[in-house]
Coordinates of all heavy atoms in Angstrom, one line a residue:
M222 N -12.8 9.6 4.6 CA -11.4 9.8 4.4 C -11.2 11.3 4.3 O -12.0 12.0 3.6 CB -10.9 9.1 3.1 CG -9.5 8.9 3.1 SD -8.9 7.9 1.7 CE -9.7 6.4 2.1
Q223 N -10.2 11.8 5.1 CA -10.0 13.2 5.2 C -8.6 13.6 4.9 O -7.7 12.9 5.5 CB -10.6 13.7 6.5 CG -10.5 15.2 6.7 CD -11.1 15.6 8.1 OE1 -11.3 14.8 8.9 NE2 -11.4 16.9 8.2
V224 N -8.3 14.6 4.2 CA -6.9 15.1 3.9 C -6.9 16.6 4.2 O -7.8 17.3 3.7 CB -6.5 14.8 2.5 CG1 -5.1 15.4 2.2 CG2 -6.5 13.3 2.2
L225 N -5.9 17.1 5.0 CA -5.8 18.5 5.2 C -5.0 19.2 4.2 O -4.0 18.6 3.7 CB -5.0 18.7 6.6 CG -5.8 18.2 7.8 CD1 -4.9 18.3 9.0 CD2 -7.1 18.9 8.0
V226 N -5.4 20.3 3.7 CA -4.7 21.1 2.7 C -3.9 22.2 3.5 O -4.5 23.0 4.1 CB -5.7 21.8 1.7 CG1 -4.9 22.6 0.7 CG2 -6.5 20.7 1.0
R227 N -2.6 22.1 3.3 CA -1.8 23.1 4.0 C -1.3 24.1 3.1 O -0.8 23.8 2.0 CB -0.6 22.4 4.7 CG -1.0 21.4 5.8 CD 0.2 20.9 6.5 NE -0.1 19.9 7.4 CZ 0.4 18.7 7.6 NH1 1.3 18.3 6.8 NH2 -0.1 17.9 8.5
D228 N -1.3 25.4 3.5 CA -0.8 26.5 2.6 C -1.3 26.5 1.1 O -0.6 26.8 0.3 CB 0.8 26.4 2.6 CG 1.4 26.5 4.0 OD1 0.7 27.2 4.8 OD2 2.4 25.8 4.2
N229 N -2.6 26.1 1.1 CA -3.3 26.1 -0.3 C -2.5 25.2 -1.2 O -2.6 25.4 -2.5 CB -3.4 27.5 -0.8 CG -4.4 28.3 -0.1 OD1 -5.4 27.8 0.5 ND2 -4.3 29.6 -0.1
N230 N -1.8 24.2 -0.8 CA -1.1 23.2 -1.7 C -2.0 22.1 -2.0 O -1.9 21.1 -1.3 CB 0.2 22.8 -0.9 CG 1.2 22.2 -1.9 OD1 0.8 21.8 -3.0 ND2 2.4 22.0 -1.4
V231 N -2.8 22.3 -3.0 CA -3.7 21.2 -3.3 C -3.1 20.0 -4.0 O -3.5 18.9 -3.9 CB -4.8 21.8 -4.4 CG1 -5.8 20.8 -4.8 CG2 -5.5 23.0 -3.7
E232 N -2.0 20.2 -4.7 CA -1.3 19.1 -5.4 C -0.7 18.1 -4.3 O -0.9 16.9 -4.5 CB -0.2 19.6 -6.2 CG -0.5 20.4 -7.5 CD -1.0 21.8 -7.3 OE1 -0.6 22.4 -6.2 OE2 -1.6 22.3 -8.1
Q233 N -0.2 18.7 -3.3 CA 0.3 17.8 -2.2 C -0.8 17.1 -1.6 O -0.7 15.8 -1.3 CB 1.0 18.6 -1.2 CG 1.7 17.7 -0.1 CD 2.3 18.5 1.0 OE1 2.1 19.7 1.0 NE2 3.1 17.9 1.9
A234 N -1.9 17.7 -1.3 CA -3.0 17.1 -0.7 C -3.6 15.9 -1.6 O -4.1 15.0 -1.1 CB -4.2 18.2 -0.4
L235 N -3.7 16.2 -2.9 CA -4.1 15.2 -3.8 C -3.2 14.0 -3.8 O -3.7 12.8 -3.9 CB -4.2 15.7 -5.2 CG -5.5 16.4 -5.6 CD1 -5.4 17.0 -7.0 CD2 -6.6 15.4 -5.6
R236 N -1.8 14.3 -3.7 CA -1.0 13.1 -3.7 C -1.2 12.2 -2.4 O -1.2 11.0 -2.5 CB 0.5 13.6 -3.6 CG 1.0 13.8 -5.1 CD 2.6 14.0 -5.0 NE 3.1 14.9 -4.0 CZ 3.3 16.1 -4.3 NH1 3.1 16.7 -5.5 NH2 3.7 16.9 -3.3
V237 N -1.4 12.9 -1.3 CA -1.7 12.2 0.0 C -3.0 11.5 -0.1 O -3.1 10.3 0.3 CB -1.7 13.3 1.1 CG1 -2.2 12.6 2.5 CG2 -0.4 13.9 1.4
L238 N -4.0 12.1 -0.6 CA -5.3 11.4 -0.8 C -5.1 10.2 -1.7 O -5.7 9.1 -1.4 CB -6.3 12.3 -1.4 CG -7.7 11.7 -1.7 CD1 -8.4 11.3 -0.3 CD2 -8.6 12.7 -2.5
K239 N -4.4 10.2 -2.8 CA -4.3 9.1 -3.7 C -3.5 8.0 -3.0 O -3.9 6.8 -3.1 CB -3.5 9.5 -5.0 CG -4.4 10.3 -6.0 CD -3.6 10.5 -7.2 CE -4.4 11.4 -8.2 NZ -3.6 11.7 -9.3
K240 N -2.5 8.4 -2.2 CA -1.8 7.3 -1.5 C -2.6 6.6 -0.4 O -2.6 5.4 -0.3 CB -0.6 8.0 -0.8 CG 0.4 7.0 -0.3 CD 1.7 7.7 0.4 CE 2.5 8.4 -0.7 NZ 3.7 8.9 -0.2
K241 N -3.5 7.4 0.3 CA -4.4 6.8 1.2 C -5.4 5.9 0.6 O -5.7 4.8 1.1 CB -5.2 7.9 2.0 CG -4.4 8.6 3.0 CD -5.3 9.5 3.8 CE -4.6 10.1 5.0 NZ -5.5 10.9 5.9
M242 N -5.9 6.3 -0.6 CA -6.9 5.5 -1.3 C -6.2 4.2 -1.8 O -6.8 3.1 -1.8 CB -7.5 6.2 -2.4 CG -8.4 7.3 -2.0 SD -9.0 8.5 -3.3 CE -9.8 7.6 -4.4
Q243 N -4.9 4.3 -2.3 CA -4.2 3.1 -2.7 C -4.0 2.1 -1.6 O -4.2 0.9 -1.8 CB -2.9 3.6 -3.2 CG -2.0 2.4 -3.8 CD -2.5 2.0 -5.2 OE1 -3.0 2.9 -6.0 NE2 -2.3 0.7 -5.5
R244 N -3.6 2.7 -0.4 CA -3.4 1.8 0.7 C -4.7 1.0 1.2 O -4.7 -0.1 1.6 CB -2.9 2.6 2.0 CG -1.4 2.7 1.9 CD -0.8 3.1 3.2 NE 0.2 4.1 3.1 CZ 0.1 5.4 3.3 NH1 -0.9 5.9 3.9 NH2 1.2 6.1 3.2
E245 N -5.8 1.8 1.1 CA -7.1 1.2 1.5 C -7.6 0.1 0.4 O -8.6 -0.6 0.7 CB -8.2 2.2 1.6 CG -7.9 3.1 2.8 CD -8.1 2.5 4.1 OE1 -9.1 1.7 4.3 OE2 -7.4 2.8 5.0
G246 N -7.0 0.1 -0.8 CA -7.5 -0.8 -1.8 C -8.7 -0.3 -2.6 O -9.4 -1.2 -3.2
L247 N -8.9 1.0 -2.5 CA -10.1 1.5 -3.1 C -10.1 1.4 -4.7 O -11.0 1.0 -5.3 CB -10.2 3.0 -2.8 CG -11.6 3.6 -2.9 CD1 -12.4 3.1 -1.6 CD2 -11.7 5.0 -3.0
F248 N -8.9 1.6 -5.3 CA -8.7 1.6 -6.7 C -9.0 0.2 -7.2 O -9.6 -0.1 -8.2 CB -7.4 2.1 -7.2 CG -7.1 3.6 -7.0 CD1 -6.1 4.0 -6.2 CD2 -8.0 4.4 -7.5 CE1 -5.9 5.4 -6.0 CE2 -7.9 5.8 -7.3 CZ -6.8 6.2 -6.5
R249 N -8.4 -0.8 -6.5 CA -8.6 -2.3 -6.9 C -10.0 -2.6 -6.8 O -10.5 -3.3 -7.6 CB -7.8 -3.1 -5.9 CG -7.6 -4.5 -6.4 CD -6.7 -5.4 -5.4 NE -5.7 -4.7 -4.7 CZ -5.5 -4.6 -3.4 NH1 -6.3 -5.3 -2.6 NH2 -4.5 -3.9 -2.9
E250 N -10.8 -2.1 -5.7 CA -12.2 -2.5 -5.6 C -13.0 -1.9 -6.7 O -13.9 -2.4 -7.3 CB -12.7 -2.1 -4.3 CG -14.1 -2.5 -4.0 CD -14.5 -2.1 -2.6 OE1 -13.8 -2.0 -1.7 OE2 -15.8 -2.1 -2.4
M251 N -12.7 -0.6 -7.1 CA -13.4 0.1 -8.2 C -13.3 -0.7 -9.5 O -14.2 -0.8 -10.2 CB -12.9 1.5 -8.3 CG -13.4 2.4 -7.2 SD -12.9 4.1 -7.2 CE -12.3 4.5 -8.8
K252 N -12.0 -1.1 -9.7 CA -11.7 -1.8 -10.9 C -12.5 -3.2 -11.0 O -13.0 -3.5 -12.0 CB -10.2 -2.1 -11.1 CG -9.9 -2.7 -12.4 CD -8.3 -2.8 -12.5 CE -7.9 -3.4 -13.8 NZ -6.5 -3.6 -14.0
A253 N -12.5 -3.8 -9.8 CA -13.3 -5.1 -9.8 C -14.8 -4.9 -10.0 O -15.4 -5.8 -10.6 CB -13.0 -5.7 -8.4
R254 N -15.3 -3.8 -9.6 CA -16.7 -3.6 -9.6 C -17.2 -3.0 -11.0 O -18.4 -2.8 -11.2 CB -17.2 -2.6 -8.6 CG -17.2 -3.2 -7.2 CD -17.6 -2.2 -6.1 NE -17.5 -2.8 -4.8 CZ -18.5 -2.9 -3.9 NH1 -19.7 -2.5 -4.4 NH2 -18.4 -3.5 -2.8
Q255 N -16.2 -2.7 -11.9 CA -16.7 -2.1 -13.2 C -17.3 -3.2 -14.0 O -18.3 -2.8 -14.8 CB -15.4 -1.7 -14.0 CG -14.8 -0.4 -13.5 CD -13.6 0.1 -14.3 OE1 -13.1 -0.7 -15.1 NE2 -13.3 1.4 -14.2
A256 N -17.0 -4.4 -13.9 CA -17.7 -5.5 -14.7 C -18.1 -6.6 -13.8 O -17.5 -6.8 -12.8 CB -16.7 -5.9 -15.8
F257 N -19.1 -7.4 -14.3 CA -19.5 -8.5 -13.5 C -18.5 -9.6 -13.4 O -17.8 -9.9 -14.5 CB -20.8 -9.1 -14.0 CG -21.3 -10.3 -13.4 CD1 -21.9 -10.1 -12.2 CD2 -21.2 -11.6 -14.0 CE1 -22.4 -11.3 -11.5 CE2 -21.6 -12.7 -13.4 CZ -22.3 -12.5 -12.1
E258 N -18.3 -10.2 -12.3 CA -17.4 -11.3 -12.2 C -18.1 -12.6 -11.9 O -18.9 -12.7 -11.0 CB -16.4 -11.0 -11.0 CG -15.3 -12.0 -10.9 CD -14.4 -11.7 -9.7 OE1 -14.8 -11.0 -8.8 OE2 -13.2 -12.2 -9.7
K259 N -17.9 -13.5 -12.8 CA -18.6 -14.8 -12.7 C -18.2 -15.5 -11.4 O -17.1 -15.4 -11.0 CB -18.3 -15.7 -13.9 CG -19.0 -15.2 -15.2 CD -18.6 -15.9 -16.4 CE -18.0 -17.3 -16.3 NZ -17.8 -17.9 -17.6
P260 N -19.1 -16.2 -10.8 CA -18.8 -16.9 -9.5 C -17.6 -17.8 -9.7 O -16.8 -17.9 -8.8 CB -20.0 -17.7 -9.2 CG -21.2 -17.0 -9.8 CD -20.5 -16.4 -11.2
S261 N -17.4 -18.5 -10.8 CA -16.3 -19.4 -11.0 C -15.0 -18.6 -11.1 O -14.0 -19.0 -10.5 CB -16.4 -20.2 -12.4 OG -16.6 -19.3 -13.5
E262 N -15.0 -17.4 -11.7 CA -13.8 -16.5 -11.7 C -13.6 -16.0 -10.4 O -12.4 -15.9 -10.0 CB -14.0 -15.4 -12.7 CG -14.2 -15.8 -14.2 CD -14.5 -14.6 -15.1 OE1 -15.0 -13.6 -14.6 OE2 -14.5 -14.8 -16.3
R263 N -14.5 -15.7 -9.5 CA -14.3 -15.2 -8.2 C -13.7 -16.3 -7.4 O -12.7 -16.0 -6.6 CB -15.7 -14.8 -7.6 CG -15.5 -14.1 -6.3 CD -16.9 -13.6 -5.8 NE -17.0 -14.1 -4.5 CZ -17.8 -15.0 -4.0 NH1 -18.7 -15.6 -4.9 NH2 -17.9 -15.5 -2.8
R264 N -14.1 -17.6 -7.5 CA -13.5 -18.6 -6.7 C -12.0 -18.8 -7.1 O -11.2 -19.0 -6.2 CB -14.2 -20.0 -7.0 CG -15.5 -20.0 -6.1 CD -16.0 -21.5 -6.2 NE -16.4 -21.8 -7.5 CZ -17.6 -21.7 -8.1 NH1 -18.6 -21.1 -7.5 NH2 -17.9 -22.2 -9.3
V265 N -11.7 -18.7 -8.4 CA -10.4 -18.8 -8.9 C -9.5 -17.8 -8.3 O -8.4 -18.0 -7.8 CB -10.3 -18.9 -10.4 CG1 -8.9 -18.8 -10.9 CG2 -10.9 -20.2 -10.9
R266 N -10.0 -16.4 -8.4 CA -9.2 -15.3 -7.8 C -9.0 -15.4 -6.3 O -7.9 -15.2 -5.9 CB -10.0 -14.1 -8.2 CG -9.3 -12.8 -7.7 CD -10.1 -11.6 -8.0 NE -11.4 -11.6 -7.6 CZ -11.9 -11.4 -6.3 NH1 -11.1 -11.2 -5.4 NH2 -13.2 -11.4 -6.1
E267 N -10.1 -15.8 -5.6 CA -10.0 -15.9 -4.2 C -9.0 -17.0 -3.8 O -8.2 -16.9 -2.9 CB -11.3 -16.1 -3.5 CG -12.2 -14.8 -3.6 CD -13.5 -15.1 -3.0 OE1 -13.9 -16.3 -2.7 OE2 -14.3 -14.1 -2.8
K268 N -9.0 -18.1 -4.5 CA -8.1 -19.2 -4.3 C -6.7 -18.8 -4.5 O -5.7 -19.1 -3.7 CB -8.4 -20.4 -5.2 CG -7.5 -21.6 -5.0 CD -7.9 -22.5 -4.0 CE -7.1 -23.7 -4.1 NZ -7.5 -24.7 -3.0
A269 N -6.4 -18.1 -5.6 CA -5.0 -17.5 -5.9 C -4.6 -16.5 -4.8 O -3.4 -16.6 -4.5 CB -5.0 -16.8 -7.3
E270 N -5.5 -15.7 -4.4 CA -5.1 -14.7 -3.4 C -4.7 -15.5 -2.0 O -3.8 -15.1 -1.4 CB -6.2 -13.8 -3.1 CG -6.5 -12.7 -4.2 CD -7.7 -11.9 -4.0 OE1 -8.5 -12.2 -3.0 OE2 -8.0 -11.0 -4.8
A271 N -5.4 -16.5 -1.8 CA -5.2 -17.3 -0.5 C -3.8 -18.0 -0.7 O -3.0 -18.0 0.3 CB -6.3 -18.3 -0.3
V272 N -3.5 -18.6 -1.9 CA -2.2 -19.2 -2.1 C -1.1 -18.2 -1.9 O -0.1 -18.4 -1.3 CB -2.2 -19.9 -3.5 CG1 -0.8 -20.2 -3.8 CG2 -3.1 -21.1 -3.5
S273 N -1.3 -17.0 -2.5 CA -0.4 -15.9 -2.3 C -0.1 -15.5 -0.9 O 1.0 -15.4 -0.4 CB -0.8 -14.7 -3.2 OG 0.1 -13.6 -3.0
R274 N -1.2 -15.3 -0.1 CA -1.1 -15.1 1.2 C -0.3 -16.1 2.1 O 0.6 -15.9 2.9 CB -2.4 -14.8 1.9 CG -3.0 -13.5 1.6 CD -4.2 -13.2 2.6 NE -5.2 -14.3 2.5 CZ -6.2 -14.3 1.7 NH1 -6.4 -13.4 0.8 NH2 -7.1 -15.3 1.7
A275 N -0.6 -17.4 1.8 CA 0.1 -18.5 2.4 C 1.6 -18.5 2.1 O 2.4 -18.8 2.9 CB -0.6 -19.9 2.0
R276 N 2.0 -18.3 0.8 CA 3.4 -18.3 0.4 C 4.0 -17.1 1.1 O 5.2 -17.3 1.6 CB 3.5 -18.1 -1.1 CG 3.2 -19.3 -1.9 CD 3.6 -19.1 -3.3 NE 3.3 -20.3 -4.1 CZ 2.9 -20.3 -5.4 NH1 2.8 -19.1 -6.0 NH2 2.6 -21.4 -6.0
K277 N 3.4 -16.0 1.3 CA 4.0 -14.9 1.9 C 4.3 -15.1 3.3 O 5.3 -14.9 3.9 CB 3.1 -13.6 1.8 CG 3.7 -12.4 2.4 CD 2.8 -11.2 2.1 CE 3.5 -9.9 2.7 NZ 2.7 -8.8 2.5
A278 N 3.2 -15.8 4.0 CA 3.4 -16.1 5.4 C 4.5 -17.2 5.6 O 5.3 -17.0 6.5 CB 2.1 -16.7 6.0
A279 N 4.6 -18.1 4.7 CA 5.7 -19.1 4.8 C 7.0 -18.5 4.6 O 8.0 -18.8 5.3 CB 5.4 -20.3 3.8
R280 N 7.1 -17.5 3.7 CA 8.3 -16.9 3.5 C 8.8 -16.1 4.6 O 10.0 -16.2 5.1 CB 8.2 -16.0 2.2 CG 9.5 -15.3 1.8 CD 9.4 -14.6 0.4 NE 8.4 -13.6 0.4 CZ 7.3 -13.6 -0.3 NH1 7.1 -14.6 -1.2 NH2 6.4 -12.7 -0.2
K281 N 7.9 -15.3 5.3 CA 8.2 -14.5 6.4 C 8.7 -15.5 7.6 O 9.5 -15.2 8.3 CB 7.0 -13.7 6.8 CG 6.9 -12.5 5.9 CD 6.0 -11.5 6.5 CE 5.9 -10.2 5.7 NZ 6.9 -9.3 6.2
Q282 N 7.9 -16.6 7.7 CA 8.3 -17.5 8.8 C 9.7 -18.1 8.6 O 10.5 -18.2 9.5 CB 7.2 -18.7 8.8 CG 7.5 -19.7 10.0 CD 7.3 -19.0 11.3 OE1 6.5 -18.1 11.5 NE2 8.0 -19.5 12.3
A283 N 10.0 -18.4 7.4 CA 11.3 -19.0 7.0 C 12.4 -17.9 7.3 O 13.6 -18.2 7.8 CB 11.4 -19.4 5.6
Q284 N 12.1 -16.6 7.0 CA 13.0 -15.5 7.3 C 13.3 -15.4 8.8 O 14.4 -15.2 9.3 CB 12.5 -14.2 6.7 CG 12.7 -14.2 5.2 CD 12.0 -12.9 4.6 OE1 11.4 -12.2 5.3 NE2 12.3 -12.7 3.3
R285 N 12.2 -15.5 9.6 CA 12.4 -15.4 11.0 C 13.2 -16.5 11.7 O 13.9 -16.3 12.5 CB 11.0 -15.4 11.7 CG 10.2 -14.1 11.6 CD 9.0 -14.0 12.5 NE 7.9 -14.9 12.1 CZ 7.0 -14.4 11.3 NH1 7.0 -13.2 10.9 NH2 6.0 -15.3 10.9
E286 N 13.0 -17.8 11.1 CA 13.8 -18.9 11.5 C 15.2 -18.9 11.0 O 15.9 -19.8 11.4 CB 13.0 -20.2 11.1 CG 11.7 -20.3 11.9 CD 10.9 -21.5 11.3 OE1 11.3 -22.1 10.4 OE2 9.8 -21.7 11.9
G287 N 15.6 -18.0 10.1 CA 16.9 -17.9 9.6 C 17.2 -18.9 8.4 O 18.3 -19.1 8.0
L288 N 16.1 -19.5 7.9 CA 16.3 -20.4 6.7 C 16.5 -19.6 5.4 O 17.1 -20.1 4.4 CB 15.1 -21.3 6.6 CG 14.8 -22.2 7.8 CD1 13.6 -23.0 7.7 CD2 16.0 -23.1 8.0
L289 N 15.9 -18.4 5.4 CA 16.1 -17.5 4.1 C 16.7 -16.2 4.6 O 16.5 -15.8 5.8 CB 14.7 -17.3 3.6 CG 14.0 -18.4 2.8 CD1 12.7 -17.9 2.3 CD2 14.8 -18.8 1.7
P290 N 17.4 -15.5 3.8 CA 17.9 -14.2 4.2 C 16.8 -13.2 4.3 O 15.7 -13.3 3.5 CB 18.9 -13.8 3.0 CG 18.4 -14.6 1.8 CD 17.8 -15.9 2.5
G291 N 16.9 -12.3 5.1 CA 15.8 -11.3 5.4 C 15.7 -10.3 4.3 O 16.6 -10.4 3.4
P292 N 14.7 -9.5 4.3 CA 14.7 -8.5 3.2 C 15.8 -7.4 3.3 O 16.4 -7.3 4.4 CB 13.3 -7.7 3.5 CG 13.1 -8.1 5.0 CD 13.7 -9.4 5.3
K293 N 16.2 -6.9 2.2 CA 17.3 -6.0 2.1 C 16.8 -4.7 2.8 O 15.7 -4.2 2.6 CB 17.7 -5.7 0.7 CG 18.3 -6.8 0.0 CD 18.7 -6.5 -1.4 CE 19.3 -7.8 -2.1 NZ 19.6 -7.6 -3.4
K294 N 17.8 -4.1 3.6 CA 17.5 -2.9 4.3 C 17.5 -1.7 3.3 O 18.5 -1.6 2.5 CB 18.5 -2.7 5.4 CG 18.6 -3.7 6.4 CD 17.5 -3.6 7.5 CE 17.7 -4.8 8.5 NZ 16.6 -4.8 9.4
K295 N 16.5 -0.9 3.4 CA 16.5 0.3 2.6 C 17.4 1.5 3.2 O 17.2 1.6 4.4 CB 15.2 0.9 2.3 CG 14.3 0.0 1.5 CD 13.0 0.6 1.3 CE 12.1 -0.4 0.4 NZ 10.7 0.2 0.3
E296 N 18.3 2.0 2.4 CA 19.2 3.0 3.0 C 18.4 4.3 2.9 O 17.8 4.7 2.0 CB 20.4 3.2 2.1 CG 21.7 3.2 2.9 CD 22.8 3.4 2.0 OE1 23.4 2.3 1.6 OE2 23.3 4.5 1.8
R297 N 18.3 5.0 4.2 CA 17.6 6.3 4.2 C 18.5 7.4 3.7 O 19.6 7.6 4.2 CB 17.2 6.5 5.6 CG 16.1 5.5 6.0 CD 15.4 6.0 7.2 NE 14.7 7.2 7.0 CZ 14.2 8.0 7.9 NH1 14.1 7.5 9.1 NH2 13.5 9.1 7.7
T298 N 18.0 8.1 2.7 CA 18.8 9.3 2.2 C 18.3 10.5 2.9 O 17.2 10.7 3.3 CB 18.6 9.5 0.7 OG1 17.1 9.6 0.4 CG2 19.0 8.3 -0.1
P299 N 19.3 11.4 3.4 CA 18.8 12.6 4.1 C 18.1 13.5 3.2 O 18.2 13.5 2.0 CB 20.2 13.2 4.5 CG 21.3 12.6 3.6 CD 20.6 11.3 3.2
R300 N 17.1 14.2 3.9 CA 16.3 15.1 3.2 C 17.1 16.4 2.8 O 18.1 16.6 3.4 CB 15.1 15.6 4.1 CG 14.3 14.5 4.6 CD 13.2 13.9 3.7 NE 12.2 14.9 3.3 CZ 10.9 15.0 3.7 NH1 10.6 14.3 4.7 NH2 10.2 15.9 3.2
P301 N 16.6 17.1 1.8 CA 17.4 18.3 1.4 C 17.7 19.3 2.5 O 18.7 20.0 2.4 CB 16.5 18.9 0.2 CG 15.7 17.9 -0.2 CD 15.5 16.9 1.0
N302 N 16.7 19.6 3.4 CA 16.9 20.5 4.4 C 17.9 20.0 5.5 O 18.1 20.7 6.5 CB 15.6 21.0 5.0 CG 14.8 19.9 5.6 OD1 15.2 18.8 5.6 ND2 13.5 20.3 6.0
G303 N 18.3 18.7 5.5 CA 19.3 18.2 6.4 C 18.7 17.6 7.7 O 19.5 17.2 8.6
N304 N 17.3 17.5 7.9 CA 16.8 17.1 9.1 C 16.5 15.6 9.1 O 16.0 15.1 10.0 CB 15.6 17.9 9.6 CG 14.5 17.8 8.6 OD1 14.4 16.9 7.7 ND2 13.5 18.6 8.8
G305 N 16.7 15.0 7.9 CA 16.4 13.5 7.9 C 15.0 13.2 7.9 O 14.6 12.0 7.8
G306 N 14.1 14.1 7.8 CA 12.7 13.8 7.7 C 12.0 13.7 9.0 O 10.8 13.4 9.1
G307 N 12.7 13.8 10.1 CA 12.1 13.6 11.4 C 11.5 14.9 12.1 O 10.9 14.8 13.1
D308 N 11.9 16.1 11.5 CA 11.4 17.3 12.2 C 10.1 17.8 11.5 O 10.1 18.2 10.5 CB 12.6 18.4 11.9 CG 12.2 19.7 12.7 OD1 11.4 19.7 13.5 OD2 12.8 20.7 12.2
F309 N 9.0 17.6 12.3 CA 7.7 18.0 11.8 C 7.4 19.4 12.2 O 6.3 19.8 11.8 CB 6.7 17.0 12.4 CG 6.8 15.6 11.9 CD1 7.3 14.6 12.6 CD2 6.4 15.4 10.6 CE1 7.5 13.3 12.1 CE2 6.5 14.1 10.1 CZ 7.1 13.1 10.8
N310 N 8.2 20.1 12.9 CA 7.9 21.4 13.3 C 8.1 22.5 12.2 O 7.7 23.5 12.3 CB 8.7 21.8 14.5 CG 8.3 21.0 15.8 OD1 7.2 20.6 15.8 ND2 9.3 20.8 16.6
N311 N 8.8 22.0 11.1 CA 9.2 23.0 10.1 C 8.3 23.0 8.9 O 8.6 23.5 7.8 CB 10.6 22.6 9.6 CG 11.7 23.3 10.3 OD1 11.5 24.2 11.1 ND2 12.9 22.9 10.2
R312 N 7.1 22.4 9.1 CA 6.1 22.3 8.0 C 5.3 23.6 7.9 O 5.0 24.3 8.7 CB 5.2 21.2 8.1 CG 6.1 20.0 7.9 CD 5.1 18.8 7.8 NE 5.9 17.6 7.4 CZ 5.5 16.5 7.1 NH1 4.2 16.3 7.1 NH2 6.3 15.5 6.7

């Protein structure tokens, strides 16, 4: 995993690194590996994760079919410099 440090801004680079690690599930895996997990506990956890995934898939399918209302749209707030966050040339 690699993060570029721009203008010696280490704090911003650390934030980006932590966000990347969070998305990859690294923190969750580190926490899981801290202690031994009994096989029975592992089966229970994996079963719960599978149920959660199935529920999420069913919910998304119901939203696509119009049976449930879709997720609420997030309103984008303009950035302070007024470019809306789409101008990458000003960095």
Side-chain angles (χ1 to χ4, degrees):
M222 199 173 297
Q223 186 176 14
V224 176
L225 296 175
V226 180
R227 296 186 182 132
D228 300 327
N229 288 332
N230 194 346
V231 178
E232 288 81 18
Q233 182 185 12
L235 273 174
R236 276 197 309 269
V237 171
L238 177 65
K239 284 182 183 179
K240 193 178 288 187
K241 281 187 176 186
M242 291 168 66
Q243 182 77 32
R244 274 196 219 113
E245 293 289 324
L247 204 82
F248 292 123
R249 194 179 325 126
E250 186 174 340
M251 283 174 23
K252 187 176 179 183
R254 288 177 184 242
Q255 280 181 350
F257 177 74
E258 184 178 26
K259 291 175 16 182
S261 60
E262 291 173 348
R263 190 176 126 249
R264 281 192 298 271
V265 168
R266 178 182 51 80
E267 287 177 352
K268 177 88 170 174
E270 289 173 356
V272 168
S273 174
R274 282 193 305 271
R276 280 188 185 150
K277 182 176 181 180
R280 185 172 58 245
K281 287 195 170 271
Q282 182 67 33
Q284 286 174 351
R285 280 193 292 269
E286 293 172 356
L288 301 174
L289 289 177
K293 294 181 180 174
K294 303 279 184 188
K295 292 183 181 176
E296 228 180 275
R297 293 193 63 185
T298 56
R300 305 276 303 256
N302 59 4
N304 64 11
D308 184 16
F309 292 105
N310 296 329
N311 274 345
R312 289 189 174 190

